[in-house]
Amino acid sequence: MRLAEHVIVGVIRAVQVRARSGALAPDRVAEEVTAELAARPASAQTPVLNATGVVVHTNLGRAPLSDAAVAALQQAAGYVDVEMDLAAGVRSKRGVGARAALLAACPAAEDALAVNNGAAALVLATTALAAGREVIISRGELIEIGAGFRLPDLIASTGARLREVGTTNRTHLADYADAIGPDTGCLLKVHPSNFRVEGFTSGVDVRDLSAVAAERGVPLVVDLGSGLLSPDPLLPDEPDAATTLAAGADLVTASGDKLLGGPQAGLLLGRADLVSRLGRHPLARAVRMDKLALAALEATLSGPAAPVVEYLHADPARLRERAEALAAAVGGEVIEHDGRVGGGGAPGVPLHGFAVRLPEAVARPLRLGTPSVVPRLHEGAALLDLRCVPESADEVLTDAVRAALGEI
């Protein structure tokens, strides 16, 4: 059975009310109930085709999972040995497989820990290292990201005190060094992610900052945000965990559902003693990952390239061919269109591609159709960028566009 009994009863009663009010003929009640139950999903979340050209689209669930991750989710849906050593028949550590996969994917890390999201990773790190003490950070890195989420508020919630150094546009190594004292819990460096400051600017790189931190015996925590584990030539200015750790960071935090392309997760990579300290902190229990996310994360790391990686590196020539085929089928116009990384990653980096230009009025029926298709609205038009649409869905997309055009 797909729906609970109380849901089925609710649908029946709603149809009966319509019949009693005269809005529905009595002889159509059974037919209407059957149709509504067949159309009623088990979840209110609607699958969509992302035709915006934004790869890590926060409003659309960020990273789409790989086939390997989806299979791992299904396998983990039942009873699994998430905290059991089957050979010994005793309790074991949680997330052993995901930890091993993280260390294999990022050998520069001595140890690794995964929690339920990126913010939780940063909260756990600053709580365990600096609760009741100071976190030293550049004023230029006190960022705000989507939905009004502000880094200073997050750090304050841990019980740590922010010690701001430098100015909005310029911070020097001496600013950090002068601020370190007996009450310093850690140095924190945060990648701006979703904005860029240009002009008369100055910052301190990880290598220089790590030398001061090591000299003064203070851990250096670097929040990367994006989840890139190793360098990507397509994104030369996007920091990655391997390079950051090699430069001397003691601990790196990142998201698993952005450039890594996995489920929502917060990754902590770095010195074994610090990761162990974080893992033993009481807060680690509150932010731990469930069995489904652990399975999906491990499969993302161990399996073939995730969709996010494929979409980022999509061949522009092939994107043009697909766009031209769609335009020929529905009567649209092919235009050059730059996609975006999204999710706060690589701001300003264009992903060269193409889109099909249609009347703006088609956007609403596209979104409300089956399947739901989300285009980009730009300069009075609806743009369909196929970068993030699986090629296997091209025919379905064409039918959806035809149906939407028919409605207008």
Side-chain angles (χ1 to χ4, degrees):
M1 180 180 288
R2 186 171 54 85
L3 298 173
E5 182 177 333
H6 72 276
V7 175
I8 296 172
V9 170
V11 170
I12 293 172
R13 286 176 177 168
V15 174
Q16 288 175 330
V17 168
R18 289 167 54 200
R20 289 170 185 146
S21 69
L24 181 69
D27 61 351
R28 291 192 55 212
V29 168
E31 175 188 345
E32 192 71 10
V33 167
T34 300
E36 289 203 17
L37 289 176
R40 180 73 176 259
S43 167
Q45 296 186 80
T46 302
V48 306
L49 291 178
N50 174 13
T52 65
V54 179
V55 179
V56 183
H57 199 305
T58 298
N59 302 130
L60 300 181
R62 289 188 175 172
L65 296 180
S66 66
D67 290 342
V70 172
L73 277 173
Q74 293 175 327
Q75 189 176 45
Y79 293 117
V80 291
D81 57 342
V82 65
E83 280 188 37
M84 187 173 187
D85 182 335
L86 295 178
V90 297
R91 186 169 184 166
S92 66
K93 289 186 176 181
R94 188 181 190 88
V96 172
R99 173 183 173 275
L102 275 169
L103 293 176
C106 186
E110 294 179 6
D111 203 353
L113 177 67
V115 295
N116 60 13
N117 62 47
L122 187 54
V123 164
L124 178 58
T126 52
T127 300
L129 300 177
R133 305 178 70 193
E134 289 182 345
V135 174
I136 298 177
I137 184 172
S138 167
R139 285 188 174 89
E141 297 172 5
L142 295 175
I143 62 171
E144 175 180 322
I145 58 175
F149 175 88
R150 292 183 168 183
L151 181 70
D153 297 337
L154 180 71
I155 301 301
S157 73
T158 70
R161 301 187 305 278
L162 280 177
R163 177 73 179 272
E164 303 172 20
V165 298
T167 62
T168 301
N169 61 318
R170 292 179 69 81
T171 302
H172 306 287
L173 185 60
D175 295 323
Y176 289 97
D178 292 345
I180 297 175
D183 209 25
T184 302
C186 67
L187 303 185
L188 175 61
K189 186 169 181 61
V190 178
H191 180 54
S193 295
N194 58 358
F195 71 94
R196 303 173 78 173
V197 179
E198 299 178 346
F200 188 58
T201 63
S202 176
V204 182
D205 64 29
V206 172
R207 191 171 301 279
D208 291 338
L209 199 54
S210 69
V212 170
E215 180 185 344
R216 306 291 286 275
V218 175
L220 171 60
V221 179
V222 180
D223 179 48
L224 303 180
S226 69
L228 198 61
L229 296 186
S230 57
D232 186 337
L234 181 69
L235 309 171
D237 296 326
E238 192 70 15
D240 66 276
T243 302
T244 304
L245 288 169
D250 297 301
L251 194 66
V252 162
T253 66
S255 294
D257 53 343
K258 293 185 180 180
L259 293 180
L260 181 61
Q264 179 172 292
L267 312 179
L268 296 129
L269 302 152
R271 275 173 39 191
D273 61 321
L274 294 182
V275 174
S276 176
R277 180 175 168 185
L278 268 56
R280 295 193 307 270
H281 194 278
L283 184 60
R285 170 83 181 193
V287 298
R288 73 179 187 177
M289 295 177 71
D290 75 318
K291 61 177 183 177
L292 299 177
L294 284 169
L297 177 61
E298 181 181 355
T300 299
L301 291 160
S302 303
V308 160
V309 178
E310 294 180 357
Y311 298 160
L312 284 173
H313 296 270
D315 178 13
R318 182 56 186 154
L319 290 176
R320 181 169 193 163
E321 291 175 3
R322 295 172 62 200
E324 288 175 343
L326 175 60
V330 303
E333 174 193 2
V334 176
I335 63 171
E336 291 194 9
H337 182 255
D338 289 336
R340 288 291 184 266
V341 175
V349 174
L351 303 175
H352 180 55
F354 298 86
V356 177
R357 190 177 190 274
L358 296 171
E360 185 176 22
V362 80
R364 178 176 170 80
L366 275 175
R367 292 195 305 268
L368 298 180
T370 303
S372 173
V373 179
V374 179
R376 180 191 177 199
L377 298 181
H378 181 65
E379 296 182 347
L383 305 182
L384 296 176
D385 186 323
L386 304 188
R387 175 178 297 275
C388 304
V389 177
E391 197 160 341
S392 60
D394 281 2
E395 186 175 340
V396 173
L397 174 62
T398 301
D399 291 340
V401 174
R402 284 176 175 149
L405 288 169
E407 290 191 32
I408 65 169

